[in-house]
mmCIF file with all atom_site columns, all heavy atoms in Angstrom:
data_model
loop_
_atom_site.group_PDB
_atom_site.id
_atom_site.type_symbol
_atom_site.label_atom_id
_atom_site.label_alt_id
_atom_site.label_comp_id
_atom_site.label_asym_id
_atom_site.label_entity_id
_atom_site.label_seq_id
_atom_site.pdbx_PDB_ins_code
_atom_site.Cartn_x
_atom_site.Cartn_y
_atom_site.Cartn_z
_atom_site.occupancy
_atom_site.B_iso_or_equiv
_atom_site.pdbx_formal_charge
_atom_site.auth_seq_id
_atom_site.auth_comp_id
_atom_site.auth_asym_id
_atom_site.auth_atom_id
_atom_site.pdbx_PDB_model_num
ATOM 1  N N   . GLY A 1 65 ? 165.955 57.257 -100.482 1.00 96.00 ? 65 GLY A N   1
ATOM 2  C CA  . GLY A 1 65 ? 166.000 57.858 -99.212  1.00 96.00 ? 65 GLY A CA  1
ATOM 3  C C   . GLY A 1 65 ? 167.243 57.403 -98.383  1.00 96.00 ? 65 GLY A C   1
ATOM 4  O O   . GLY A 1 65 ? 167.991 58.253 -97.818  1.00 96.00 ? 65 GLY A O   1
ATOM 5  N N   . PRO A 1 66 ? 167.432 56.070 -98.210  1.00 97.00 ? 66 PRO A N   1
ATOM 6  C CA  . PRO A 1 66 ? 168.625 55.623 -97.332  1.00 97.00 ? 66 PRO A CA  1
ATOM 7  C C   . PRO A 1 66 ? 169.973 56.207 -97.854  1.00 97.00 ? 66 PRO A C   1
ATOM 8  O O   . PRO A 1 66 ? 170.720 56.693 -97.155  1.00 97.00 ? 66 PRO A O   1
ATOM 9  C CB  . PRO A 1 66 ? 168.576 54.174 -97.385  1.00 97.00 ? 66 PRO A CB  1
ATOM 10 C CG  . PRO A 1 66 ? 167.106 53.793 -97.687  1.00 97.00 ? 66 PRO A CG  1
ATOM 11 C CD  . PRO A 1 66 ? 166.692 54.965 -98.631  1.00 97.00 ? 66 PRO A CD  1
ATOM 12 N N   . GLY A 1 67 ? 170.150 56.241 -99.104  1.00 96.00 ? 67 GLY A N   1
ATOM 13 C CA  . GLY A 1 67 ? 171.321 56.798 -99.642  1.00 96.00 ? 67 GLY A CA  1
ATOM 14 C C   . GLY A 1 67 ? 171.608 58.281 -99.442  1.00 96.00 ? 67 GLY A C   1
ATOM 15 O O   . GLY A 1 67 ? 172.710 58.812 -99.166  1.00 96.00 ? 67 GLY A O   1
ATOM 16 N N   . LEU A 1 68 ? 170.481 58.976 -99.512  1.00 97.00 ? 68 LEU A N   1
ATOM 17 C CA  . LEU A 1 68 ? 170.542 60.469 -99.311  1.00 97.00 ? 68 LEU A CA  1
ATOM 18 C C   . LEU A 1 68 ? 170.753 60.742 -97.929  1.00 97.00 ? 68 LEU A C   1
ATOM 19 O O   . LEU A 1 68 ? 171.683 61.585 -97.489  1.00 97.00 ? 68 LEU A O   1
ATOM 20 C CB  . LEU A 1 68 ? 169.149 61.020 -99.676  1.00 97.00 ? 68 LEU A CB  1
ATOM 21 C CG  . LEU A 1 68 ? 169.190 62.599 -100.097 1.00 97.00 ? 68 LEU A CG  1
ATOM 22 C CD1 . LEU A 1 68 ? 170.223 62.940 -101.128 1.00 97.00 ? 68 LEU A CD1 1
ATOM 23 C CD2 . LEU A 1 68 ? 167.790 62.913 -100.588 1.00 97.00 ? 68 LEU A CD2 1
ATOM 24 N N   . ARG A 1 69 ? 170.132 59.963 -96.923  1.00 96.00 ? 69 ARG A N   1
ATOM 25 C CA  . ARG A 1 69 ? 170.384 60.185 -95.548  1.00 96.00 ? 69 ARG A CA  1
ATOM 26 C C   . ARG A 1 69 ? 171.766 59.904 -95.152  1.00 96.00 ? 69 ARG A C   1
ATOM 27 O O   . ARG A 1 69 ? 172.425 60.569 -94.359  1.00 96.00 ? 69 ARG A O   1
ATOM 28 C CB  . ARG A 1 69 ? 169.320 59.248 -94.713  1.00 96.00 ? 69 ARG A CB  1
ATOM 29 C CG  . ARG A 1 69 ? 169.508 59.341 -93.168  1.00 96.00 ? 69 ARG A CG  1
ATOM 30 C CD  . ARG A 1 69 ? 168.682 58.360 -92.618  1.00 96.00 ? 69 ARG A CD  1
ATOM 31 N NE  . ARG A 1 69 ? 167.213 58.467 -92.605  1.00 96.00 ? 69 ARG A NE  1
ATOM 32 C CZ  . ARG A 1 69 ? 166.469 59.263 -91.818  1.00 96.00 ? 69 ARG A CZ  1
ATOM 33 N NH1 . ARG A 1 69 ? 166.996 59.887 -90.797  1.00 96.00 ? 69 ARG A NH1 1
ATOM 34 N NH2 . ARG A 1 69 ? 165.199 59.342 -91.948  1.00 96.00 ? 69 ARG A NH2 1
ATOM 35 N N   . ALA A 1 70 ? 172.322 58.893 -95.842  1.00 96.00 ? 70 ALA A N   1
ATOM 36 C CA  . ALA A 1 70 ? 173.669 58.437 -95.469  1.00 96.00 ? 70 ALA A CA  1
ATOM 37 C C   . ALA A 1 70 ? 174.807 59.548 -95.758  1.00 96.00 ? 70 ALA A C   1
ATOM 38 O O   . ALA A 1 70 ? 175.959 59.403 -95.398  1.00 96.00 ? 70 ALA A O   1
ATOM 39 C CB  . ALA A 1 70 ? 174.007 57.152 -96.180  1.00 96.00 ? 70 ALA A CB  1
ATOM 40 N N   . LEU A 1 71 ? 174.380 60.566 -96.455  1.00 95.00 ? 71 LEU A N   1
ATOM 41 C CA  . LEU A 1 71 ? 175.326 61.652 -96.833  1.00 95.00 ? 71 LEU A CA  1
ATOM 42 C C   . LEU A 1 71 ? 175.654 62.487 -95.643  1.00 95.00 ? 71 LEU A C   1
ATOM 43 O O   . LEU A 1 71 ? 176.621 63.265 -95.687  1.00 95.00 ? 71 LEU A O   1
ATOM 44 C CB  . LEU A 1 71 ? 174.803 62.488 -97.977  1.00 95.00 ? 71 LEU A CB  1
ATOM 45 C CG  . LEU A 1 71 ? 174.551 61.813 -99.305  1.00 95.00 ? 71 LEU A CG  1
ATOM 46 C CD1 . LEU A 1 71 ? 173.913 62.851 -100.251 1.00 95.00 ? 71 LEU A CD1 1
ATOM 47 C CD2 . LEU A 1 71 ? 175.856 61.366 -99.911  1.00 95.00 ? 71 LEU A CD2 1
ATOM 48 N N   . GLY A 1 72 ? 174.878 62.325 -94.493  1.00 94.00 ? 72 GLY A N   1
ATOM 49 C CA  . GLY A 1 72 ? 175.308 62.923 -93.322  1.00 94.00 ? 72 GLY A CA  1
ATOM 50 C C   . GLY A 1 72 ? 175.091 64.354 -93.286  1.00 94.00 ? 72 GLY A C   1
ATOM 51 O O   . GLY A 1 72 ? 175.825 65.160 -92.643  1.00 94.00 ? 72 GLY A O   1
ATOM 52 N N   . SER A 1 73 ? 173.883 64.898 -93.793  1.00 96.00 ? 73 SER A N   1
ATOM 53 C CA  . SER A 1 73 ? 173.682 66.309 -93.840  1.00 96.00 ? 73 SER A CA  1
ATOM 54 C C   . SER A 1 73 ? 173.254 66.643 -92.311  1.00 96.00 ? 73 SER A C   1
ATOM 55 O O   . SER A 1 73 ? 172.972 65.820 -91.430  1.00 96.00 ? 73 SER A O   1
ATOM 56 C CB  . SER A 1 73 ? 172.386 66.608 -94.702  1.00 96.00 ? 73 SER A CB  1
ATOM 57 O OG  . SER A 1 73 ? 171.321 65.729 -94.370  1.00 96.00 ? 73 SER A OG  1
ATOM 58 N N   . ALA A 1 74 ? 173.408 68.038 -92.004  1.00 96.00 ? 74 ALA A N   1
ATOM 59 C CA  . ALA A 1 74 ? 173.241 68.542 -90.665  1.00 96.00 ? 74 ALA A CA  1
ATOM 60 C C   . ALA A 1 74 ? 171.747 68.217 -90.263  1.00 96.00 ? 74 ALA A C   1
ATOM 61 O O   . ALA A 1 74 ? 171.493 68.033 -89.178  1.00 96.00 ? 74 ALA A O   1
ATOM 62 C CB  . ALA A 1 74 ? 173.486 69.972 -90.647  1.00 96.00 ? 74 ALA A CB  1
#
Side-chain angles (χ1 to χ4, degrees):
Chain A
L68 200 54
R69 183 187 289 271
L71 296 174
S73 53

